Amino acid sequence: MPATLEVKCANEDCELDMFELHYTYDMPDDVTVADFSCPYCGESRFLEEIQL
């Protein structure tokens, strides 16, 4: 099963509250939430990983 990363956007002006990133290929070990941006508002500084 590919790895999944649950992320939320903490930007108060953004309508998207959470989304999942599904890795379907080998991601480098040093990839973090900071490497992505919100697909709705485009910001990266507001993304936070949801800890399960």
Side-chain angles (χ1 to χ4, degrees):
M1 182 62 102
T4 301
L5 180 64
E6 291 188 355
V7 179
K8 65 180 178 178
C9 184
N11 181 356
E12 292 180 9
D13 296 327
C14 183
E15 298 295 326
L16 184 68
D17 59 352
M18 72 166 282
F19 59 97
E20 293 180 342
L21 299 170
H22 297 266
Y23 302 154
T24 57
Y25 49 89
D26 291 330
M27 295 291 286
D29 292 335
D30 60 347
V31 171
T32 66
V33 173
D35 295 310
F36 298 95
S37 61
C38 176
Y40 188 82
C41 70
E43 293 287 339
S44 60
R45 60 189 167 130
F46 293 107
L47 290 185
E48 301 171 1
E49 181 177 355
I50 299 173
Q51 300 295 324
L52 300 176

